[in-house]
Amino acid sequence: MLFFLHRELDESAQNIRRGGKGELQLASIRKIVELITSKRLDAILVKAFIIGYAAVTHINHIMDLLLQRWNIPPPRGCSLAEFNQFLKTKLRLVRLRIVYFVRQWISIAPEDFRVQSEAREKLDMLIHTMQTQSWKKALLKLLLNADEEAKLESETITKVEQQETKQQSKSRSPILTVLSM
């Protein structure tokens, strides 16, 4: 799958170009977020987007778009029956796709959420608006694992640096030590 995210495209939902076989060729960031959180699940598109988004936009922009999708309004002037149908079909499906996307994102690029940042705060806000406890637990567990991995990596790097420093100081010959004084 080859497609291009284009930062200069107008963010309207119409900004998408497909090839002769219907494959995605070019799309705005907003349209990609809409596609990855809609009816048809495209796992390849999700992974490709996670890997490539940073070349054209900032993580905070993606988080803002996900929060907007999470809170999509029902159609104007809909009846109670239409509203209930909207909740059961469209809104629930969009939210399920957002949870899937965020799970994939944390699994593929946990470093995007490791540091305390605006993006992490937005992700925490999104998680806390979830009413389904299993969704919350799954995402919080992934974040906890990412945080633990980051801590272990940091500790390992510190230990390696300390060992290298000790090795360098031990490997200095007495003549070099005298000359460097």
Side-chain angles (χ1 to χ4, degrees), residues 68-129:
Q68 288 172 16
R69 287 289 288 166
W70 186 266
N71 295 308
I72 56 173
R76 291 181 186 214
C78 65
S79 67
L80 182 58
E82 292 169 329
F83 178 74
N84 287 331
Q85 185 67 18
F86 166 80
L87 290 178
K88 289 178 185 175
T89 57
K90 179 148 183 149
L91 186 62
R92 180 155 175 78
L93 180 63
V94 165
R95 289 181 172 180
L96 184 61
R97 293 291 185 249
I98 289 170
V99 170
Y100 172 80
F101 174 73
V102 171
R103 285 184 69 181
Q104 291 300 308
W105 194 354
I106 296 168
S107 296
I108 293 169
E111 63 278 358
D112 288 356
F113 300 102
R114 283 185 180 157
V115 295
Q116 199 59 16
S117 64
E118 187 178 344
R120 178 67 179 256
E121 289 173 15
K122 289 178 182 186
L123 179 58
D124 289 342
M125 185 171 62
L126 177 68
I127 291 171
H128 291 293
T129 63

Side-chain angles (χ1 to χ4, degrees), residues 138-157:
L139 293 177
L140 289 171
K141 184 177 179 182
L142 279 172
L143 284 172
L144 180 63
N145 289 342
D147 289 343
E148 288 173 359
E149 285 178 25
K151 183 179 177 185
L152 286 173
E153 283 177 20
S154 177
E155 289 171 357
T156 302
I157 290 169

